[in-house]
Every structure is written in C-alpha cells, then in structure tokens.
C-alpha cells in the first residue's frame, strides 16, 4: 500500500497536470475543453477498480464520474465534487507562469491551485487509494470531476444533475472551498465549512435618451449622462445589514476579540465599522456576507463621437442574501432607479437565489471529528460564501452540500481570499497532503 508521502507526491503531480492542461473557461461554449483533464483523471483512476463514466454534453466539455458502490442501500451516500475548469489568467501580472504548474519552494503555482484543482486532485488521489486498498463503503462513494463550474455549470454540474441525477446525486456532497485554519484569540483552531452561498442576479439596465448633435449639448436628453447618475446611485446605495445564522455563528465561533466581534454582530454598527476598518479584505467580506450587493460592471453607450447617445446598456452584478427572490431584487433596483424610472428598463439576464444546507448534520459532525486528527481540538464554523458554486445544483436535488477541504497554516485566510481568480495563485504541498489524508479519514469515518 502506498505511503502517505507517495500519496502526497501523486496529488502534487496530478495538480501540476491539471494546471498545465489550461482548461480556461471564458464563458463561451468552445472554451474550457476539460476533456484533457477528464482524460488525465480517467487514466489515473483506471486501475482503481471503480466504475468510471464520462459525459460530454458539448464537444470537449467532458465530466468524469467515478463510483464505489456501497454495500448498504440504507446508508448515507457521499459525493466528492471537484471542477476541472479555471478562469483566465494574464501572465503579465504573475510572478511565475500561471499555466506552468511549477513546484517552487514547496508550493505549486498556477491558475486553479486554490480554485479548485487542488481539491479536485486530492479527492482523486484519496479515491484511488481507498478503492485500491479494498475499502468498501456502506453508502455509495462518488467522485465527480466536472466541467464548466466557472460559467454557471451549464455543461457541467447543472447538466449532470438534470440528465443523469442518479449518477451524481448523493445524500451528502462536498465541494469547494473552506477548511482554511483560523486561529482564535483563545488558541483554538477554527475551520470554516461553507454551508451556503449568496444568490446571483445579473441585470441589464437599459437607459433611454433622445439622439441629437454633439455640438449642441445644452438641454439635450443624453442617455449617458443619465446612466452616469444611475451608476452613482448604485454606488451610494446603502441598504441595512441583515445578519443571518451562518454569519452570526461564524463570528461567534471564530473567537475574535470583542472590539472586532461586537460591531460585526450589530446590524446598526456593522456598516460604519466596515467603512473604516483598515483590513480592507475583511471589510469587503463582512459587508458582502451581510448585504445584498450591487456592482456596476459593464457599460455600452453611444455610436459616434458627435452624436448624443439615445441608448445605454449598464450591466449590474447583484449578489443576494438568503431569503431574497427575484421580486426583492427588482424592488431594490426600482428603489435605486427612483425618479429615472420612465427612462430605465430592467432586464434580468440570469437569476439564481441563495441556497444553503442545514448546519447540524451527521456530515458536519464527521468533518469536525476528522479534522481533529490533523488539528487537535479544532472546531468547524459555518460560513456563507459570497461566490456561486456547483453546490446549488445538488442542494436543488435534496443533498446536504458543503464546501470543505483542509489546508495548512502556510497561507492566511486573507491571502487565500485574494488568490481566488486573482494573481500568483498557489498552494503548498503540505495542504495537498492534509486534504488527501482528510478525504481518506472522512470515508473511513462517515461511510462505514
Ligand atoms: Zn471554483
């Protein structure tokens, strides 16, 4: 049987391969081409004895499903869900080649090293060795490496959950991210488990004006001037904070000193506190976790320099809190638009509400038990991720879905946050060891 260090080497090697495959998803159907990584993983798992299946809803957009059948149909089943696509990276901004997968001073560099090829690789390594060691789970253990997570899962998790739900569905699902150790003031290690995610609403505000000659701007009806006012209103909009259970339990659980914890738990103080906190990364997270946010991101206006524009399209990225639906989002936009309502129409390009799973479940308890093998005395704390993940498709099928992995203390929580879709993304080999061993321990704890 392979030693721990051999398994770590395999996970490291696999991660390097996945990074070098450069499965960059730019949102177009022909991008990603995750087939390359599905092939690598299929070859890697070929000798595991598990059932392997691939699905290709669009040419090159391949997802892999590997399954170890349980011996007790009444026992809970578990799916480990990783994605193989990554977002684009501009090499000019990076200290090392974002697609080189280089191992430098104990760290693997490259796009996807944190989001989430690290976990996709360690899940595969653990799955292979569990299968080869003769491990037979009570409930099904499924490993899924999906395409297209970074563009709403249309050719990945959403497709699989719609077309072959029996192959990928499980009572419990684990995907990105979580498991970054945080030290509390009392010395206890806290490990965030992602229990929910904010909703996503991508809106288009169409601003109408009247065309005219650019040489005579006085008292014209310029759509761009009105759109600029709209952008200003969006930026200045300050809805009141809403503190939901995952947030309060997270802040109460991580053991912050009272001068930080108290304002973060007080809906009347949190806004001023975030405005003034010197730690910008924490301020942004705290604000995003307690508000439905709006970011104006794309604007298209005008046709020619000497023509007063009669039409502007402004795209707004809205991320909603638990409990918000489309009507709430539209009501907020109408509030922002105010007296410009006659000139502005709202178009919804994409909408998916926030989803979450219950916090106190057998999997929650198992994650805490298993994590303590690596971080003695550690406590898991719930966290709401502000980004969207594939967990929502599995929650819609009735699964309890969490985001978790296990990481070393080498890279801090703030740094991890900045590396998601950011520059100089990398992961230390010790984190790969921890995650690989944690998945194996979890299977032995939860699936027997
Ligand atoms: Zn991801």
């Amino acid at each position: 049987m392979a030693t721990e260090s051999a398994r770590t080497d395999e996970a490291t090697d696999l991660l390097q391969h996945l990074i070098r495959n450069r499965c960059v998803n730019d949102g177009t159907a022909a991008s990603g081409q995750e087939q390359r990584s599905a092939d690598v993983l299929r070859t890697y798992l070929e000798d595991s004895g598990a059932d392997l299946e691939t699905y290709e809803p669009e040419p090159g957009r391949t997802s892999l499903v590997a399954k170890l059948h349980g011996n007790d149909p009444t026992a809970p089943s578990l799916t480990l869900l990783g994605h193989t696509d990554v977002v684009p990276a501009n090499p000019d901004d990076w200290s090392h080649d974002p697609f080189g997968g280089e191992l430098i001073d104990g760290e693997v560099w490259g796009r996807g090293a944190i989001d989430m090829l690290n976990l996709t690789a360690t899940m595969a390594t653990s799955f292979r060795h569990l299968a080869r060691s003769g491990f037979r789970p009570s409930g099904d253990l499924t490993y899924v490496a999906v395409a297209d997570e970074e563009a709403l899962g249309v050719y990945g998790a959403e497709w699989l959950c719609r077309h072959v739900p029996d192959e990928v569905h499980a009572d419990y699902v684990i995907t990105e991210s979580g498991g970054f150790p945080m030290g509390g003031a009392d010395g206890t290690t806290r490990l965030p488990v992602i229990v929910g995610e904010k909703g996503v609403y991508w809106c288009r505000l169409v601003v109408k004006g009247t065309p005219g000659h650019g040489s005579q701007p006085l008292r014209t009806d310029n759509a761009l001037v009105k759109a600029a006012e709209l952008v200003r209103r969006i930026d200045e909009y300050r809805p009141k904070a809403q503190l939901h259970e995952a947030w309060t339990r997270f802040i109460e659980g991580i053991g912050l000193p009272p001068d930080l914890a108290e304002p973060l738990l007080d809906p009347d103080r949190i806004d001023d506190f975030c405005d003034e906190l010197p730690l910008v990364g924490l301020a942004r997270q705290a604000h995003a976790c307690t508000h439905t946010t709006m970011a104006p991101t794309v604007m298209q206006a005008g046709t020619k320099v000497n023509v007063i524009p009669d039409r502007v399209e402004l795209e707004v990225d809205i991320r909603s809190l638990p409990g918000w639906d489309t009507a709430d989002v539209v009501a907020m936009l109408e509030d922002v638009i105010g007296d410009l309502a006659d000139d502005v129409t709202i178009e919804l390009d994409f909408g998916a509400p926030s989803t979450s799973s219950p916090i106190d479940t057998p999997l929650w308890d198992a994650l805490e038990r298993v994590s303590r093998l690596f971080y003695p005395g550690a406590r898991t704390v719930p966290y709401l991720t502000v980004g969207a993940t594939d967990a929502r498709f599995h929650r819609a099928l009735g699964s309890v879905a969490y985001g978790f992995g296990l990481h070393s203390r080498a890279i801090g929580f703030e740094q991890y946050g900045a590396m998601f879709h950011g520059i100089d993304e990398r992961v230390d080999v010790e984190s790969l060891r921890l995650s690989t061993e944690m998945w194996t321990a979890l299977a032995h704890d939860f699936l027997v």
Side-chain angles (χ1 to χ4, degrees), residues 2-326:
T3 63
E4 185 172 306
S5 87
R7 290 190 292 269
T8 305
D9 288 350
E10 278 184 30
T12 305
D13 188 59
L14 199 50
L15 171 61
Q16 291 175 294
H17 265 81
L18 298 180
I19 290 171
R20 289 170 189 151
N21 278 347
R22 205 188 270 258
C23 297
V24 176
N25 187 346
D26 64 14
T28 60
S31 72
Q33 294 300 303
E34 297 89 343
Q35 178 174 11
R36 290 164 291 168
S37 287
D39 284 348
V40 165
L41 290 164
R42 183 173 195 130
T43 303
Y44 176 67
L45 293 174
E46 206 88 78
D47 66 356
S48 68
D51 284 351
L52 304 179
E53 196 62 67
T54 51
Y55 301 92
E56 190 181 13
E58 181 76 14
R61 309 306 301 270
T62 310
S63 296
L64 171 78
V65 178
K67 197 178 283 287
L68 274 182
H69 292 279
N71 52 31
D72 175 1
T74 65
S77 51
L78 176 67
T79 289
L80 300 177
L81 174 67
H83 65 78
T84 52
D85 61 325
V86 297
V87 294
N90 180 356
D92 297 342
D93 302 329
W94 284 56
S95 309
H96 296 282
D97 180 1
F99 301 102
E102 292 169 88
L103 178 58
I104 300 164
D105 296 332
E107 293 177 328
V108 179
W109 283 67
R111 176 56 86 221
I114 285 293
D115 180 14
M116 64 171 293
L117 304 182
N118 55 331
L119 300 181
T120 306
T122 59
M123 287 169 173
T125 301
S126 172
F127 184 90
R128 175 171 181 264
H129 287 281
L130 279 164
R132 284 173 57 88
S133 72
F135 173 74
R136 288 297 166 261
S138 49
D140 287 355
L141 173 62
T142 308
Y143 167 73
V144 188
V146 291
D148 203 28
E149 191 276 341
E150 298 290 0
L152 304 174
V154 175
Y155 306 116
E158 185 185 32
W159 190 93
L160 292 167
C161 285
R162 181 172 297 167
H163 292 90
V164 287
D166 293 346
E167 300 308 311
V168 295
H169 173 68
D171 301 313
Y172 296 91
V173 174
I174 303 180
T175 185
E176 62 192 324
S177 50
F180 308 108
M182 306 173 74
D186 57 2
T188 304
T189 299
R190 266 78 174 192
L191 297 162
V193 177
I194 313 285
V195 297
E197 61 192 53
K198 292 183 78 178
V200 185
Y201 291 88
W202 288 340
C203 293
R204 187 178 298 269
L205 303 180
V206 181
V207 185
K208 293 260 179 348
T210 309
H213 203 291
S215 62
Q216 306 164 65
L218 184 70
R219 294 166 67 181
T220 50
D221 179 30
N222 187 326
L224 187 52
V225 173
K226 284 186 282 193
E229 167 63 12
L230 201 50
V231 170
R232 193 192 63 76
R233 289 184 191 181
I234 291 170
D235 188 53
E236 286 188 352
Y237 193 69
R238 289 286 181 275
K240 192 168 159 57
Q242 294 177 7
L243 312 187
H244 48 84
E245 187 192 7
W247 176 254
T248 53
R249 280 187 60 167
F250 175 71
I251 295 299
E252 286 163 3
I254 57 175
L256 288 173
D259 60 322
L260 281 176
E262 283 169 15
L264 289 172
L265 290 171
D266 183 345
D268 294 324
R269 291 171 62 197
I270 188 169
D271 287 348
D272 289 343
F273 183 74
C274 288
D275 278 338
E276 280 151 31
L277 188 67
L279 301 164
V280 177
L282 177 62
R284 250 175 227 155
Q285 276 283 324
H287 176 261
C289 284
T290 54
H291 296 76
T292 292
T293 58
M294 288 184 285
T297 48
V298 179
M299 188 187 269
Q300 278 160 339
T303 52
K304 195 166 181 299
V305 68
N306 60 353
V307 178
I308 301 287
D310 63 343
R311 181 186 170 93
V312 175
E313 288 191 11
L314 171 65
E315 289 179 59
V316 188
D317 183 1
I318 298 175
R319 305 298 175 120
S320 63
L321 285 174
W324 283 59
D325 62 16
T326 306

